[in-house]
Amino acid sequence: MKIKTPLFIVFEGIDGAGKSTQANLLFTFCRAIAPAVLLQEPTDSQHGKLLRKMLKGEIPGTRDELLELFIKDRAYDVEHNILPLLNKGYVVIVDRYFYSTAAYQAGNGNTPSDILRMNIEKGFPVPERVYFIDIEPANALERIHRRSGDNKEIFETLHALETIRGNYLSIADSTFAVIQGNPGVEDIFKEVLKDFKKHFVTG
Ligand code: TYD
């Protein structure tokens, strides 16, 4: 088996969709056959650390401040991690990327596609495939509640998740593979892997 390299793959979904589990499973699959890395945004840069505090509501952040910080954090990630690793021939899997910014920071006059364009104009590389793990917001909220009790982040309400899901679907183009996220972990991964093998694996 051979994976096409370098390769840039992104996982997206609303909070509680299970995308991080799926990103991990694909990373484990890839790592056995090719140099591979799993990254996450927000990163652990100074911007990313500030963002995590804002997301928990520990410090305030307006929608526009969040938008600006996510873009700065991504510029850091692209320069220090994503591009150097792609240049070395890695399979780079990122758990959340600019589609998250488009879906979560839309508003205040910016549509999801405006934000997408803003990111692309910055020169951030476009991934070859986006696995969008799609789940009903009500199910997602139930999972979040089970996982973190009352320690919810600022976007974790039913209304916010419904808006965010709609925003994602409004920007889903042909790089998106929309994967049903309601079945169990293994069945979801079968779908991800089927698509991944079809596009990027030979032999
Ligand atoms: P993450 O750590 O991936 O949370 P989870 O594993 O629960 O999905 O992401 C943290 C939060 O950051 C999540 O609510 C989405 C938000 N986010 C944005 O609002 N904009 C962005 O550009 C990114 C990357 C994340």
Side-chain angles (χ1 to χ4, degrees):
M1 237 186 321
K2 205 169 167 347
I3 300 182
K4 175 204 166 297
T5 54
L7 181 60
F8 185 18
I9 300 287
V10 165
F11 277 80
E12 292 284 356
I14 61 174
D15 297 78
K19 67 174 171 42
S20 303
T21 305
Q22 296 300 321
N24 250 300
L25 288 169
L26 187 65
F27 169 59
T28 305
F29 172 84
C30 290
R31 187 173 59 171
I33 17 184
V37 66
L38 176 60
L39 304 172
Q40 189 180 24
E41 291 190 9
T43 72
D44 55 9
S45 76
Q46 63 180 98
H47 306 301
K49 285 187 183 133
L50 194 58
L51 277 165
R52 294 219 178 260
K53 286 191 184 149
M54 288 180 174
L55 292 167
K56 285 193 197 126
E58 288 171 9
I59 50 174
T62 64
R63 191 190 295 266
D64 287 347
E65 281 166 344
L66 283 167
L67 174 60
E68 194 187 324
L69 276 172
F70 273 115
I71 291 181
K72 283 189 179 160
D73 187 44
R74 180 153 313 115
Y76 173 93
D77 201 22
V78 166
E79 186 191 340
H80 291 90
N81 304 321
I82 298 174
L83 286 182
L85 288 161
L86 287 174
N87 287 335
K88 280 195 219 156
Y90 273 67
V91 176
V92 177
I93 301 173
V94 188
D95 183 349
R96 294 199 182 281
Y97 193 52
F98 53 51
Y99 309 93
S100 282
T101 317
Y104 281 77
Q105 273 70 53
N108 278 10
N110 289 318
T111 65
S113 53
D114 291 337
I115 296 180
L116 199 57
R117 201 172 322 113
M118 227 180 264
N119 277 269
I120 291 168
E121 281 169 2
K122 290 261 171 207
F124 299 150
V126 177
E128 274 137 289
R129 201 84 173 128
V130 178
Y131 290 105
F132 176 62
I133 311 301
D134 191 26
I135 184 178
E136 287 294 323
N139 289 357
L141 208 56
E142 207 175 286
R143 288 191 193 178
I144 293 167
H145 200 76
R146 254 185 275 139
R147 192 172 63 191
S148 46
D150 288 331
N151 295 323
K152 290 218 271 296
E153 294 192 340
I154 56 176
F155 296 117
E156 294 171 351
T157 66
L158 190 59
H159 178 68
L161 294 180
E162 277 167 352
T163 305
I164 295 160
R165 175 171 182 260
N167 287 345
Y168 269 125
L169 293 174
S170 79
I171 52 165
D173 60 13
S174 61
T175 55
F176 268 61
V178 178
I179 306 282
Q180 278 310 317
N182 293 315
V185 170
E186 280 164 28
D187 288 336
I188 301 169
F189 188 58
K190 260 188 216 154
E191 290 302 310
V192 171
L193 200 55
K194 191 164 83 184
D195 181 275
F196 185 80
K197 284 184 170 167
K198 186 171 120 196
H199 288 93
F200 307 114
V201 179
T202 50

